[in-house]
C-alpha cells in the first residue's frame, strides 16, 4: 500500500474499501464517517445540487446498491433495491420498493423486506422475484442469521394481498429459511438467488457461491412446490474467477429479433441462454452466451474461452445487475447499479450514494456472439421538444466543435460519424490486443492517433480545464489475434473531468465488435450531471462513468465534438436533446 498522508490518504483508503465492498456487504462505522465528514474540507462541488442526478433512479437520500427483484405486475413495474434508511454508506440494509407505470417516473412505497425473523435478523441481502404459475409473485432473498459471521441462508416472502397491484406488504412464512448451505458449501459465500424458471414439473433457480479458494459457482436448486428445494449434484457452471455474486440465467432468441423471452422458455432450437455473474474480485458484471440443457442441468458457453475472456454488460461503473421479462412489451430489461467515485466522507456530507443505470432493453446480436443494449424507449419522453443538431460537419485534425443551444449538463446526444479512410490507423500493440482498459489508459483522449481518438467532450468547462471524453480509436489488427479487421476501441476518459483531487477517475474501455471498414460508427451518450452513460455502435459496447466537475456544472457545462486523430472525421448527423426531470422520481 502506498502511504499518501493526511486526509487524502484516509479518504483514499475508505474509497478503496468501498470499491471492494459493493455487494459483498462490508459493514462501516457510520458515526466515524459522519464525524470525519463534519470535520473534513469537503469540496464545494460535491455538495452542489447540480451533481444530483435528474433522470437516473436514486432515492432522495442515503445509500443504495443492488437492484433486487424488478418485475411487472398488474399494470405496474416494481423495483426493489438494497437501501440503507439510516445513512449514505453501506449498512442496515433493507429492501426498498418503488413502482412505476413507465420505468421513468417512480413512486416510493413502504419498505418491502426488512429484518424481522431469525433467518434474516442480521441482514436482508439480494435476491429475485418470480411469478408463480397461478400468477402469485414471490420473492427469494438471502438472509443473515448469525452475528459472528455472515452465515447466509435463503428465505422466501409472499405478498400479504396479491390482489393489491402495488404489493405494499410482504409476509415471511414460518418455514424460513427454505434453503441452507449444506453439503460442504461455504456458508459465508452463498447468496443472491435468481428468478426461477419452470419446466418438466420443477422450478429451478441459481445461487451464487464460492468453491475452494477461487472457484466461482452457480448451484442449481429444484423444487416442485417452491417451498422444498434440493440441490442438483453438479453446479450449472463454474470457473476459477472468484466468488459469483448476483447470477442471472435467461433465454434469448438467435434470429436477431429484439423480442425478449419469459425466463421459463428453455426448449427451442431458436433459443440460446445468457449466464451472467458479478465477479466479487473484479467488481464488474460478466456474461457468456451458450446452451443450457435442462435435462442435465448444465450450461456450456459457445466460446470455449468464454470464462477467461468474458464479455461485459458495461465496461464502466456498473455492477450487481438483474434482468426481468416485461410481458407487456415483450422485452428483457436490464437494471444495473453504479456506485459513487468520490469518497465515503463525501457521500456522508452530500447525504446520498449510488444510482441505478437507465433500464436497458437487451437482446442477442444477429451474429450470436454478444448482447445488444439500448435505453428503454420510454426515456425519450424526457427529451425536450426542440433538439439541436449538426449535419455533415467535417472535424479536422486537432479540431473541436462546440454544440450550442442546449443545457448540456442533462442531455441525450446521438451522433453518427463517418471515417473516410482507415489508411492512417495505428498498429495495435500485440501486448494490448486483449486489454482494452490498459490500451485506453496509455492511448487516452489527448494522445494523438491516426484514426481517432474522435468523439464527444461532455461536461466540459468553458476553458476546457474540465472535460470527460467519450471516444473511438481505430487500430490495424494485431498479428496475434485471429482477424484482419480493424480493431475499434471505445473509451470513457474522465481523467480531466474534475479539478477535485480526491476522486477516483479511472479510464474505462472496451473493444467494439463492428465492421468499421464500412466507414461508419455511432455513439449515444446520456449525460446526467454526475453520470455519463454511453452506447457505442448501436449498443454493442456500453460504458458508464461517474464524474464530479467543479466548474462544468449546470449552465456552465459545455458539449463538443473533437478529433485528435490525423484523419479528418465527418459528423454526418448529431442530434442533442435537453433532458427534463421526470415528474416523479421518489426513491425510498
Amino acid at each position: 500500500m502506498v502511504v499518501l498522508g493526511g486526509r487524502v490518504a484516509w479518504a483514499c483508503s475508505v474509497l478503496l474499501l468501498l470499491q471492494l465492498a459493493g455487494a459483498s456487504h462490508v459493514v462501516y462505522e457510520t458515526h466515524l464517517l459522519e464525524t470525519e465528514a463534519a470535520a473534513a474540507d469537503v469540496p464545494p462541488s460535491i455538495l452542489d445540487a447540480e451533481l444530483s442526478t435528474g433522470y437516473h433512479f436514486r432515492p432522495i437520500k442515503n445509500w443504495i446498491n443492488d437492484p433486487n427483484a424488478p418485475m411487472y405486475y398488474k399494470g405496474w413495474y416494481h423495483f426493489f433495491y438494497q437501501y440503507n434508511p439510516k445513512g449514505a454508506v453501506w449498512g442496515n440494509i433493507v429492501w426498498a420498493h418503488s413502482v412505476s407505470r413507465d420505468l421513468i417516473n417512480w413512486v416510493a412505497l413502504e419498505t418491502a423486506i426488512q429484518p424481522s425473523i431469525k433467518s434474516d435478523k442480521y441482514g436482508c441481502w439480494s435476491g429475485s422475484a418470480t411469478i408463480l404459475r397461478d400468477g402469485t409473485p414471490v420473492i427469494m432473498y438471502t438472509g443473515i442469521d448469525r452475528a459472528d459471521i455472515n452465515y447466509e441462508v435463503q428465505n422466501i416472502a409472499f405478498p400479504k394481498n396479491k390482489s393489491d397491484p402495488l404489493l405494499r406488504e410482504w409476509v415471511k412464512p414460518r418455514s424460513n429459511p427454505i434453503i441452507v448451505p449444506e453439503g460442504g458449501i461455504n456458508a459465508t459465500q452463498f447468496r443472491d438467488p435468481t428468478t426461477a424458471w419452470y419446466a418438466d414439473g420443477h422450478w429451478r433457480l441459481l445461487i451464487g457461491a464460492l468453491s475452494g479458494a477461487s472457484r466461482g459457482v452457480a448451484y442449481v436448486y429444484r423444487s416442485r412446490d417452491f417451498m422444498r428445494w434440493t440441490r442438483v449434484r453438479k453446479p450449472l457452471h463454474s470457473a476459477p474467477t472468484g466468488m459469483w455474486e448476483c447470477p442471472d440465467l435467461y433465454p434469448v432468441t438467435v434470429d436477431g429479433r429484439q423480442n425478449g423471452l419469459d425466463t421459463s422458455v428453455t426448449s427451442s432450437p431458436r433459443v440460446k441462454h445468457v449466464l451472467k455473474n458479478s465477479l466479487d474480485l473484479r467488481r464488474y458484471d460478466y456474461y457468456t452466451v451458450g446452451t443450457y440443457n435442462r435435462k442435465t442441468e448444465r450450461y456450456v458457453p459457445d466460446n470455449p474461452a468464454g470464462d477467461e475472456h468474458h464479455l461485459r454488460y458495461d465496461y464502466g461503473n456498473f455492477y450487481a445487475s438483474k434482468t426481468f421479462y416485461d410481458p407487456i412489451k415483450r422485452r428483457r430489461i436490464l437494471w444495473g447499479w453504479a456506485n459513487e467515485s468520490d469518497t465515503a466522507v463525501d457521500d456522508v456530507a452530500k447525504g446520498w450514494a449510488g444510482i441505478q443505470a437507465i433500464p436497458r432493453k437487451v437482446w442477442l446480436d444477429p451474429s450470436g456472439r454478444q448482447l445488444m443494449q439500448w435505453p428503454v424507449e420510454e426515456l425519450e419522453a424526457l427529451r425536450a421538444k426542440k433538439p439541436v443538431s449538426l449535419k455533415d460537419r467535417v472535424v479536422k485534425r486537432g479540431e473541436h466543435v462546440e454544440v450550442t443551444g442546449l443545457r448540456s449538463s442533462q442531455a441525450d446526444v446521438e451522433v453518427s460519424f463517418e471515417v473516410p479512410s482507415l489508411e492512417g490507423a495505428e498498429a495495435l500493440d500485440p501486448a494490448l490486443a486483449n486489454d482494452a482498459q490498459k490500451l485506453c489508459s496509455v492511448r487516452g483522449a489527448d494522445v494523438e492517433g491516426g484514426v481517432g481518438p474522435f468523439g464527444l467532450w461532455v461536461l466540459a468547462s468553458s476553458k476546457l480545464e474540465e472535460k470527460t471524453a467519450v471516444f473511438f480509436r481505430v487500430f490495424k489488427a494485431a498479428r496475434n489475434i485471429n482477424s484482419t479487421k480493424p480493431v475499434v476501441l471505445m473509451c470513457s476518459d474522465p481523467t480531466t473531468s474534475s479539478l477535485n483531487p480526491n476522486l477516483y477517475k479511472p479510464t474505462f474501455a472496451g473493444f467494439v465488435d463492428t465492421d468499421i471498414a464500412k466507414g461508419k460508427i455511432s455513439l449515444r451518450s446520456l449525460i446526467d450531471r454526475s453520470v455519463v452513460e454511453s452506447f457505442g455502435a448501436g449498443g454493442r459496447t456500453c460504458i458508464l462513468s461517474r464524474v464530479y466537475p467543479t466548474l462544468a456544472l449546470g449552465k456552465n457545462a459545455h458539449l463538443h465534438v473533437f478529433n485528435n486523430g490525423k484523419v479528418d472525421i465527418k459528423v454526418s448527423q448529431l442530434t442533442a436533446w435537453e433532458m427534463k426531470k421526470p415528474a416523479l422520481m421518489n426513491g425510498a
Side-chain angles (χ1 to χ4, degrees), residues 71 73 130-139 157-159 162 170:
M71 66 176 172
Y73 186 71
T130 300
I131 304 295
L132 300 182
R133 301 185 77 199
D134 67 357
T136 301
V138 57
I139 284 174
F158 295 93
K162 70 176 184 179
W170 293 79

Side-chain angles (χ1 to χ4, degrees), residues 215 236-239 244 249 272-277 287-293 298-311 368-369:
R215 194 163 194 88
L236 178 87
H237 195 57
S238 67
W244 282 3
L249 179 73
K272 288 284 187 180
H273 273 76
V274 173
L275 176 61
K276 166 263 169 182
N277 298 290
Y287 74 90
T288 56
V289 179
T291 300
Y292 163 61
N293 186 324
R298 301 283 282 173
Y299 169 85
V300 179
D302 289 348
N303 182 351
D307 292 310
E308 283 70 39
H309 301 283
H310 295 73
L311 297 163
R369 293 190 295 264

Side-chain angles (χ1 to χ4, degrees), residues 40 54 234 262 276 293 348 364 407 412 426 504-505 573:
K234 292 184 178 180
D262 182 88
K276 166 263 169 182
N293 186 324
V348 171
L364 187 65
R407 188 182 176 99
D412 184 352
E426 309 161 76
Y504 179 55
K505 296 185 284 188
Q573 180 68 53

